[in-house]
Amino acid sequence: MGRKTQHILVLIQDQNYIRKAIVHAFKLASIFKAEVAFTQICKSASNNQLPSSLIGELNSENIVYKEISLGNPAVEPNNTIQQLEAIFIVTEFAKGKLSTFKKNEVFKYLYKAKIPSILLGEKSKEQCNYQNITVPVDFKRETKEKMIWASYFGRFNQARIHLFTANHKAESAQRKIKATLIFTKRMYEQFNFDYKIVKSERSSNWLRQDAYSFSEQFHSDLMVLLSQKNDGLLNKYFGPAEIKKFLRNKGNPILFINPLKDYYLPCN
C-alpha cells in the first residue's frame, strides 16, 4: 500500500479573516507536494460553509482541497492530523483577537498538536515565499528541533536559513550553543541549501527580541519559535503573551513548535 497524501491543515477561527490563511496553506502545499484540509473551530459562526469562491480564486495552482470536521475534543487535533498525515497547521488571527487577556480557543489545539503551526497575525503579508528563515539559537537542547524543522524549508524550498545565535559569557552556555551549531552544520551540509550563522550581542533571555529586529532588517519571511516546556494553563487558553504581541505588531509569520513532541514528519 502506498503512502497517503500529506496535508496542510487550516484551522479557521473567523470566517472574515481567512484570506491569508488560504494563500499560505496553498503555498505550503505547493512546496511540500501536499493537499489542503480546512476545518472551522469557531462554534459561534453563523455561516459554517467554506467560502468556495474565494478559495477557488486564490487556488492558482489547482491544489486539491477539502473541508473536514474535527471529532472528539479529547483526541483532537491529533486524530485528524494522523488520518490526514498533516505536516503543518495554518491559522490566521482576526484583528483585535490578539490582546493579552483575550481567550484564544485555537491555542488548546496548537499546544496539543503533534505538528508545528504557522501563525499569521494582523500584519502578516498575504504573499510569502518561505525562502528566508530566521531561527533564534539559544543554549537549550530543545533548540535542535527548530533546526530540524527549518531544514525542511531548505530542503524542499531552497530557503536560506539565518541561525541567530545568543551570546553568553558562561562557558557552559557557550558549549551548549556550539554543540547545537555542530549538530546543525552536519545536518544542513547533507543538503544543498544556504545557511548563515549570525551572532547576537544578547543572551538567550533577550534573544527573541533581537531576532525580531534582525528578521525585519533582513526581510525574513518566517520566524521559528519554540513554546516553553512549562507553559501553564493561562498560555494554553489565552496564548503566550510574547508571541501574541509579535503577531500584533510584526509582519513575519511564526512557525510555532512544541518541544519534545513525537512529531509526524514530512515525507523525504
Side-chain angles (χ1 to χ4, degrees):
M1 182 180 295
R3 189 178 179 89
K4 291 193 297 185
T5 301
Q6 294 187 308
H7 285 77
I8 307 300
L9 176 60
V10 182
L11 300 184
I12 300 172
Q13 301 183 58
D14 187 317
Q15 281 272 358
N16 297 315
Y17 292 87
I18 187 177
R19 185 182 179 93
K20 287 185 285 191
I22 295 170
V23 173
H24 282 252
F26 284 137
K27 178 63 177 179
L28 290 163
S30 176
I31 292 170
F32 292 97
K33 305 297 186 287
E35 298 177 2
V36 177
F38 296 94
T39 188
Q40 302 189 62
I41 61 170
C42 181
K43 304 294 189 298
S44 60
S46 57
N47 177 13
N48 290 321
Q49 291 194 347
L50 277 180
S52 299
S53 58
L54 178 62
I55 292 173
E57 172 194 335
L58 300 176
N59 189 9
S60 60
E61 296 186 39
N62 293 318
I63 289 168
V64 176
Y65 71 90
K66 60 186 173 183
E67 183 176 12
I68 62 167
S69 297
L70 297 180
N72 185 344
V75 296
E76 293 295 2
N78 289 320
N79 184 58
T80 294
I81 288 168
Q82 187 172 19
Q83 290 180 8
L84 293 174
E85 294 202 12
I87 51 176
F88 293 107
I89 288 171
V90 175
T91 192
E92 178 179 346
F93 290 86
K95 188 175 181 179
K97 296 293 185 180
L98 285 164
S99 62
T100 303
F101 300 108
K102 185 160 288 189
K103 185 176 177 181
N104 285 102
E105 185 180 4
V106 72
F107 280 103
K108 73 179 182 182
Y109 294 107
L110 304 185
Y111 272 101
K112 289 170 63 178
K114 289 188 176 183
I115 55 176
S117 305
I118 302 284
L119 310 183
L120 304 172
E122 295 178 10
K123 295 186 178 180
S124 296
K125 295 179 181 178
E126 185 175 304
Q127 300 297 329
C128 179
N129 292 324
Y130 290 101
Q131 287 194 313
N132 191 352
I133 316 297
T134 298
V135 188
V137 182
D138 59 27
F139 61 79
K140 297 175 183 176
R141 68 186 182 93
E142 298 88 359
T143 298
K144 291 180 180 179
E145 296 187 51
K146 292 192 288 189
M147 307 300 145
I148 293 169
W149 282 99
S151 77
Y152 287 110
F153 288 90
R155 291 162 59 185
F156 288 91
N157 199 37
Q158 289 297 295
R160 186 179 196 189
I161 315 297
H162 287 94
L163 305 176
F164 195 71
T165 63
N167 185 13
H168 287 272
K169 293 181 180 179
E171 289 187 8
S172 59
Q174 290 179 28
R175 285 196 301 269
K176 291 174 183 177
I177 292 172
K178 184 177 180 179
T180 296
L181 291 176
I182 291 172
F183 162 84
T184 303
K185 183 176 180 180
R186 288 173 178 170
M187 177 177 58
Y188 283 13
E189 289 183 353
Q190 296 178 53
F191 309 104
N192 187 25
F193 65 84
D194 190 18
Y195 71 95
K196 183 178 181 181
I197 298 172
V198 183
K199 293 184 179 180
S200 171
E201 297 182 357
R202 308 289 291 275
S203 69
S204 294
N205 290 337
W206 300 97
L207 184 64
R208 283 186 174 184
Q209 294 182 27
D210 258 17
Y212 296 152
S213 299
F214 172 85
S215 67
E216 288 190 324
Q217 180 183 351
F218 285 85
H219 306 291
S220 170
D221 52 17
L222 185 68
M223 173 79 76
V224 182
L225 297 179
L226 281 172
S227 66
Q228 304 297 319
K229 287 194 296 182
N230 59 348
D231 271 358
L233 288 176
L234 285 179
N235 276 353
K236 293 174 183 178
Y237 281 99
F238 293 91
E242 181 189 18
I243 287 180
K244 290 169 73 173
K245 181 179 179 181
F246 178 79
L247 290 169
R248 282 198 307 272
N249 298 303
K250 306 294 183 181
N252 268 11
I254 290 175
L255 179 63
F256 182 71
I257 303 170
N258 292 316
L260 304 180
K261 286 281 188 179
D262 182 19
Y263 272 128
Y264 307 118
L265 301 175
C267 292
N268 289 322

